[in-house]
Amino acid sequence: MDQKDPQAKYNSVIGKDAKYVMQTYGRQPLVLSKGKGALVYDVHGKEYIDCVAGIAVNNVGHCHPKVVQAIREQAGELMHVSNLYYTEIQAELAEALISVTGMGRVFFCNSGAEAVEAAMKLARMVSGKSAFIAAEGSFHGRTIGALSVTYKNAYRAPFEPPVSSQTTFVPYSDADAIRQAISDNTAAVILEPVQGEGGVNIPDPGYLKEVREICDETGTLLIFDEVQTGFGRTGTWFCKEQAGVEPDIMSMAKAIGGGFPMGAIAAREGISFERGQHAATFGGGPLACAAALASIGAIKEEKLLERSREMGAYFIEKLRNMDRDDVVEVRGKGLMIGVEMNYKCGDIVDFAREHGVLVNCTSDSVLRLVPPLVITKEQIDAVVGILEQA
Ligand code: PLP
């Protein structure tokens, strides 16, 4: 095969995937090879404005120079050691995470689902109870424990029975429903402060505060899953700040490592695993920690929280002014934006991609826009122009 011929490369990649990879993803006909800021490029060299960003991962932009440099330097120093030993970079990141979360202690893992699993284990251990309350429309991951608090039946049904058969799903943004559902055996309520996969659903103001009060009254733990909403996505470090509510445990992943895989939980002072109660071979590895520290540094230096708020408001306003009569609602916080259409939006995703814009469709009819926080106004204008035509 001529590796210089982009079409041959494209065909080869698609062919190998079809033959060798479990076909779990409904992939689009696109082979990506490069990224920079809010842009990605396919093997043909075609440019796309990326409003998917690895699904809310590339908050500091693709291949941020400081993240790339940090990974390169760390890779030459120390790539992996066991958690049986200390490393300076892990201690530094722990301090930085405590500073941005305002929590007491962290535990490092490798992905969002793994963070949710850790949060569930911790909640069970601390409370001595085993049941969970989660929201309709929730998405907390695909591993078997996280799946048991994930709402969509299609994700859960083939893998029944769930590990936690004691999950009660209640309507999102309905605090009374949580009050009714709490039993003597409820370990924790787990919620996304804004639901991502469920359709970019923003709860009523006051909802999370009321849930906190109910949890306090009943001695129930509150877990916020900030895997998607974290690290500036909604305009603050974490969405909990905007609600003015502190959870007992929070999960993080996605954008934490600036594109490098990492997950973590943070728990408030007094809540913690003790020796031997949890572990992850790769959790808090030097490469991931270096990437995360560089990414947190970039968010601060480049004022990306403010930028998320400013660009998000600009984007939402532009989307609301689109000349279309098939939009049910445009909603969002920071640069976590949903455009609900009155029909399934797969065709719009295809049209946008063919015209150089990557967007994602979730919950059948919601276009989810979660671009890098470094996206420019010109790029937003171009995206809206394409979505208007789509
Ligand atoms: N929690 C939330 C809120 C998510 O959005 C996701 C992924 O989309 C997860 C958990 C699972 O994360 P991962 O895919 O890294 O396991």
Side-chain angles (χ1 to χ4, degrees):
M1 187 194 75
D2 178 4
Q3 281 297 344
K4 289 198 186 106
D5 174 1
Q7 191 57 39
K9 197 186 270 183
Y10 174 93
N11 291 339
S12 163
V13 170
I14 304 262
K16 283 181 187 165
D17 183 274
K19 195 164 173 200
Y20 301 124
V21 179
M22 292 195 192
Q23 298 293 295
T24 53
Y25 300 104
R27 289 203 214 262
Q28 298 178 29
L30 180 59
V31 180
L32 292 169
S33 60
K34 266 179 196 270
K36 191 91 209 130
L39 300 172
V40 287
Y41 300 85
D42 70 12
V43 282
H44 294 88
K46 184 174 167 187
E47 183 179 280
Y48 301 83
I49 303 174
D50 185 8
C51 289
V52 177
I55 312 201
V57 167
N58 306 98
N59 287 14
V60 296
H62 288 276
C63 299
H64 189 287
K66 293 219 164 125
V67 176
V68 171
Q69 189 193 350
I71 293 171
R72 282 204 173 116
E73 281 174 11
Q74 187 61 49
E77 289 286 322
L78 190 66
M79 216 182 285
H80 173 76
V81 288
S82 167
N83 275 309
L84 292 172
Y85 312 105
Y86 300 97
T87 62
E88 190 180 349
I89 195 100
Q90 190 185 100
E92 255 186 77
L93 178 63
E95 187 178 38
L97 279 179
I98 290 307
S99 158
V100 295
T101 59
M103 304 294 276
R105 282 176 192 275
V106 292
F107 173 86
F108 292 111
C109 52
N110 306 285
S111 69
E114 209 186 328
V116 169
E117 299 265 340
M120 291 174 74
K121 273 183 77 174
L122 184 56
R124 278 190 167 181
M125 195 206 68
V126 169
S127 67
K129 301 171 184 175
S130 58
F132 291 92
I133 294 172
E136 292 174 7
S138 65
F139 184 86
H140 298 292
R142 303 292 201 117
T143 54
I144 208 125
L147 196 59
S148 67
V149 287
T150 287
Y151 182 63
K152 200 169 168 179
N153 198 42
Y155 293 162
R156 279 187 289 123
F159 311 102
E160 296 282 308
V163 173
S164 170
S165 55
Q166 301 151 316
T167 300
T168 308
F169 290 100
V170 296
Y172 191 54
S173 198
D174 180 347
D176 266 344
I178 289 181
R179 195 187 292 278
Q180 307 295 328
I182 287 175
S183 76
D184 289 348
N185 192 33
T186 306
V189 174
I190 178 164
L191 292 172
E192 294 155 87
V194 172
Q195 287 186 335
E197 173 93 9
V200 189
N201 302 319
I202 302 169
D204 293 336
Y207 168 64
L208 297 173
K209 220 170 210 160
E210 210 177 328
V211 174
R212 176 73 272 180
E213 282 161 16
I214 293 167
C215 287
D216 288 342
E217 282 164 29
T218 54
T220 310
L221 293 166
L222 179 58
I223 302 171
F224 278 172
D225 182 352
E226 293 249 23
V227 164
Q228 191 159 152
T229 47
F231 298 93
R233 174 54 56 198
T234 68
T236 43
W237 279 107
F238 296 94
C239 195
K240 70 184 177 75
E241 294 159 49
Q242 292 171 61
V245 177
E246 292 304 323
D248 299 294
I249 306 168
M250 62 189 280
S251 51
M252 299 165 264
K254 288 198 184 273
I256 186 172
F260 197 91
M262 179 174 239
I265 57 167
R268 70 172 165 77
E269 209 64 69
I271 294 186
S272 185
F273 286 120
E274 301 302 331
R275 181 165 303 178
Q277 287 178 331
H278 202 43
T281 294
F282 288 114
L287 276 186
C289 289
L293 267 174
S295 173
I296 289 170
I299 292 173
K300 286 182 186 163
E301 282 158 29
E302 294 167 29
K303 301 197 174 0
L304 294 184
L305 305 179
E306 291 88 329
R307 195 180 170 91
S308 173
R309 291 197 290 271
E310 193 192 323
M311 292 299 151
Y314 181 78
F315 209 158
I316 289 170
E317 162 94 22
K318 285 244 144 189
L319 289 163
R320 285 189 176 144
N321 289 332
M322 276 193 306
D323 186 19
R324 297 191 72 115
D325 54 13
D326 49 6
V327 173
V328 177
E329 189 184 30
V330 177
R331 50 182 179 257
K333 254 188 203 297
L335 278 166
M336 183 166 177
I337 299 169
V339 181
E340 186 173 341
M341 309 301 295
N342 62 12
Y343 52 85
K344 291 190 176 187
C345 50
D347 288 351
I348 300 183
V349 171
D350 291 339
F351 180 94
R353 185 185 64 253
E354 281 152 19
H355 291 80
V357 170
L358 300 186
V359 294
N360 164 253
C361 176
T362 189
S363 275
D364 290 339
S365 59
V366 181
L367 289 170
R368 175 168 42 174
L369 304 165
V370 284
L373 310 183
V374 295
I375 193 168
T376 64
K377 281 193 174 163
E378 294 69 36
Q379 287 166 337
I380 291 172
D381 291 346
V383 170
V384 176
I386 296 299
L387 292 181
E388 199 153 32
Q389 291 168 41

